[in-house]
Amino acid sequence: VFYKRSHFHEVLLVLRRRTRDGQVAYQLVLPHDSPKTQLDGNSCSVAKMKQSSMQRISPDAAREPWEKQYQLSETQCIHLQRQQNCGNRNCRSGKRFLEETMLTGQVLVHWDFLCALLGEKNSLVRCELNTGAVLVGLVIPQDMVARLRQTILERADDEQNPPRRRRQPDMVELSDSEASQASLSSSSDVQPIGPKSPKQRRVDSSLVLSSS
């Protein structure tokens, strides 16, 4: 039996069922939601329906508003469907179609980076598409999608164009006798020598050595 809620202009279907112990139970079905047994916070019954603002209507009269509710619930939350103000742009209440963003690929390789950005409470999920393909990855909250995308692009750019490293001073090896005979002012004055002997020591060519 179809009913109409006058204050919300919503149409719902009331189904009469029997429980396993033979008791009569009523289910309320809305176009955007799974069946419920509660009416205004209480178990649905004939007495509760009579006390409510619901009005019984014919299936023909219910068709148009039912289809309208079904279409609106694809993209709008229940508050917008009821022409109410909703300050949460990510509100999912009353939606029958939810859009999720997944991050797939080599997720485990970048796990530390992702946990630092998204938080520690993350777990891999498995999603099977209508095409039969299977995706494994992380579900990203909608308010983090833009930030995560920008961070990944910046990391990729840093890997392709790494910052130039400052050239380290050349290291040369001098024997004790050579170090005591000359003061080294620049790397151009220094020539690498052969294999290291027990008395050789390593010095930085940018330093000046004084005789001891």
Side-chain angles (χ1 to χ4, degrees):
V1 179
F2 286 95
Y3 284 83
K4 182 177 181 179
R5 283 181 169 179
S6 58
H7 55 294
F8 287 140
H9 303 286
E10 293 176 346
V11 173
L12 53 86
L13 176 63
V14 179
L15 301 177
R16 185 174 182 269
R17 295 283 188 266
R18 285 193 176 274
T19 61
R20 293 181 178 180
D21 57 1
Q23 299 294 323
V24 176
Y26 294 89
Q27 287 185 335
L28 307 179
V29 182
L30 290 166
H32 60 267
D33 206 351
S34 57
K36 306 293 184 183
T37 59
Q38 298 284 316
L39 176 62
D40 298 331
N42 299 302
S43 296
C44 185
S45 63
V46 174
K48 290 294 182 182
M49 288 189 288
K50 289 182 178 180
Q51 294 174 1
S52 69
S53 60
M54 298 193 307
Q55 300 176 353
R56 185 171 178 174
I57 59 176
S58 65
D60 291 337
R63 179 183 297 275
E64 182 178 350
W66 180 278
E67 292 179 349
K68 181 180 180 181
Q69 286 175 235
Y70 183 81
Q71 293 174 356
L72 291 177
S73 62
E74 181 177 352
T75 58
Q76 295 183 4
C77 65
I78 190 64
H79 310 104
L80 296 181
Q81 294 175 42
R82 294 174 175 175
Q83 298 181 352
Q84 299 173 344
N85 293 327
C86 183
N88 183 8
R89 64 177 183 176
N90 296 322
C91 181
R92 299 186 172 192
S93 178
K95 279 188 176 182
R96 62 177 178 84
F97 179 81
L98 300 178
E99 182 177 347
E100 300 284 6
T101 301
M102 283 187 65
L103 178 66
T104 62
Q106 297 180 349
V107 175
L108 295 179
V109 176
H110 306 282
W111 188 259
D112 293 340
F113 150 68
L114 294 172
C115 287
L117 184 64
L118 303 175
E120 295 292 338
K121 296 182 179 180
N122 292 301
S123 59
L124 295 176
V125 297
R126 181 179 182 274
C127 175
E128 183 174 353
L129 305 180
N130 294 334
T131 59
V134 176
L135 300 177
V136 177
L138 291 174
V139 176
I140 308 301
Q142 291 299 318
D143 57 348
M144 290 294 297
V145 171
R147 180 181 175 187
L148 178 62
R149 180 181 289 111
Q150 182 64 29
T151 304
I152 292 177
L153 291 175
E154 291 175 355
R155 286 170 62 90
D157 184 65
D158 291 342
E159 292 178 358
Q160 293 178 0
N161 303 295
R164 293 184 177 180
R165 296 182 178 179
R166 294 184 59 185
R167 182 179 177 181
Q168 298 296 327
D170 297 331
M171 306 300 291
V172 297
E173 296 174 349
L174 298 176
S175 64
D176 287 340
S177 59
E178 291 171 325
S180 62
Q181 295 175 0
S183 295
L184 306 179
S185 59
S186 66
S187 59
S188 60
D189 298 327
V190 179
Q191 297 296 329
I193 62 176
K196 180 170 62 174
S197 65
K199 292 186 178 181
Q200 290 175 344
R201 58 187 176 184
R202 185 179 297 272
V203 296
D204 192 326
S205 62
S206 63
L207 301 177
V208 176
L209 300 180
S210 58
S211 58
S212 56

